[in-house]
Amino acid sequence: FPGPFTDVVTTNLKLRNPSDRKVCFKVKTTAPRRYCVRPNSGIIDPGSSVIVSVMLQPFDYDPNEKSKHKFMVQTIYAPSNISDMEAVWKEAKPDELMDSKLRCVFEMPNENDKLNDIDASKPAPVQNASKQDGPMPKPHSVSLNDTETRKLVEECKRLQAEVMKLSEENRHLRDEGLRLRKVAHSDKSGSPTALALRDNGSNSLPSLLVVIAAIFIGFFLGKFIL
């Protein structure tokens, strides 16, 4: 019986009748509670055979414990008229009975076989073609589920829209600044102080918008990578 013995283990016995008479058989065991035998008795026609299934019930296997379970297959020539099988066995004389004894052997899989089975069930590792100088990231830092991926995609689209809007406003303000500078240069009656204030105001607004856009992009990239 091959292990592991966490489930029912079945072994088949093939009984063949080489004689020219019918033969009655019966299968006995020293541990009837541990085994289920089907069929455990019957008749075999001349030259025929029958398969007997022996099912070992699950149990806790101890490799240090030697198996003492044994089976015995008893046979007897069938009488001409068979009306009661139990009566045939009760009335049988000892010299008419034939028997074959079998000893049970429990075998556990080899450790190498276990390792091969485990390795075969594991998926092949994916190797990165480029080497990384830093330590490998933790698995939970790079694994994203579908919900997080959708959120990141939506955040990316929103940030891109914000960047495009800020770029448009920046271009509009730059054009407005150029127009104001042209008006200031053409306005000879304007004071130098007022001209300087208009120039500083028009130059500071685009710079502030560029800084805001850079902050949005840096926030998105940092959240996606980490």
Side-chain angles (χ1 to χ4, degrees), residues 193-208:
T193 305
L195 179 62
L197 289 175
R198 285 198 297 270
D199 290 340
N200 291 334
S202 62
N203 290 332
S204 61
L205 286 175
S207 300
L208 179 60

Side-chain angles (χ1 to χ4, degrees), residues 49-103:
S49 60
V50 65
I51 300 298
V52 178
S53 297
V54 181
M55 291 161 278
L56 173 62
Q57 304 305 307
F59 71 102
D60 294 331
Y61 175 71
D62 185 2
N64 298 322
E65 181 181 356
K66 294 183 180 180
S67 174
K68 298 180 181 180
H69 300 173
K70 295 180 181 179
F71 277 81
M72 182 174 65
V73 181
Q74 282 187 331
T75 56
I76 187 176
Y77 285 118
S80 56
N81 296 324
I82 303 177
S83 58
D84 187 1
M85 288 293 300
E86 293 295 332
V88 171
W89 292 105
K90 289 181 180 180
E91 297 173 0
K93 298 179 181 179
D95 56 350
E96 296 177 346
L97 293 174
M98 297 168 283
D99 59 72
S100 299
K101 296 181 180 180
L102 302 172
R103 183 174 61 87

Side-chain angles (χ1 to χ4, degrees), residues 137-146 148-149 152 224-226:
K138 295 181 179 180
H140 67 270
S141 64
V142 297
S143 61
L144 297 174
N145 54 32
D146 294 339
E148 293 177 347
T149 303
L152 287 177
F224 182 78
I225 295 174
L226 298 178

Side-chain angles (χ1 to χ4, degrees), residues 115-131:
L115 294 177
N116 292 334
D117 294 340
I118 294 174
D119 294 338
S121 62
K122 287 183 178 179
V126 178
Q127 296 181 352
N128 192 354
S130 60
K131 295 182 178 179

